[in-house]
Amino acid sequence: MICPTCGKEIEDGALVCEYCNQEFTYEEEATEVAEAEAVEEAVEEAVEEVAEEVEEVAGPSNVLAILSLVCGGLGILGFFPLIASIAGIILSVIYKKKGGKNVMGKVGLILSIVAIVLKVVAIILSIVAVVAVIVLAFLSTPGLLEDILWELGL
């Protein structure tokens, strides 16, 4: 144990510090510990009460709405657009079913749907571009189609 007066190490349970002659009464320490425990319990109860009040005010977990918004944003930005967007839609629906009324849940849903639509449009445009390149290759090279059909035996 360390003496609180002089800071030197003394024998555990000593009644007097051998260096500075400070006397110790362990009843006072027990009282201080009991008071500290009572304060700790009061703080824990206050934190629980505040948490309950915040949950009442905030409604269902806004974490779902925030995650939906983040997933929708990631989908729009092109980071795993289909996976993020589908997750955003699912989170928005769960949030709504839990009674959520925060606008973040709605915005997350809209962003997720827009991201999916943009991805589908991008896929369609990619297919059109590939077909256009193939058509241009056939048109710009006379006899290419006949050569391909000849090679295929048609």
Side-chain angles (χ1 to χ4, degrees), residues 143-154:
L144 180 62
L145 184 58
E146 290 84 15
D147 290 342
I148 292 173
L149 292 174
W150 175 262
E151 290 293 327
L152 292 175
L154 299 175

Side-chain angles (χ1 to χ4, degrees), residues 4 14 21 25 32 36 60 65 72-73 78 89 91 96 99 102-103 111 122 127-128 131 136 142 149:
N21 293 323
T25 56
E32 289 175 6
I89 291 171
L91 290 167
K96 186 70 176 168
N102 193 318
V103 72
L111 285 176
I127 293 169
V128 168
V131 170
L136 285 174
L149 292 174

Side-chain angles (χ1 to χ4, degrees), residues 4 38 42 63-65 71 79 101 108 116 140:
V63 172
L64 292 173
C71 287
F79 297 102
K101 295 179 175 124
I116 289 175
S140 65

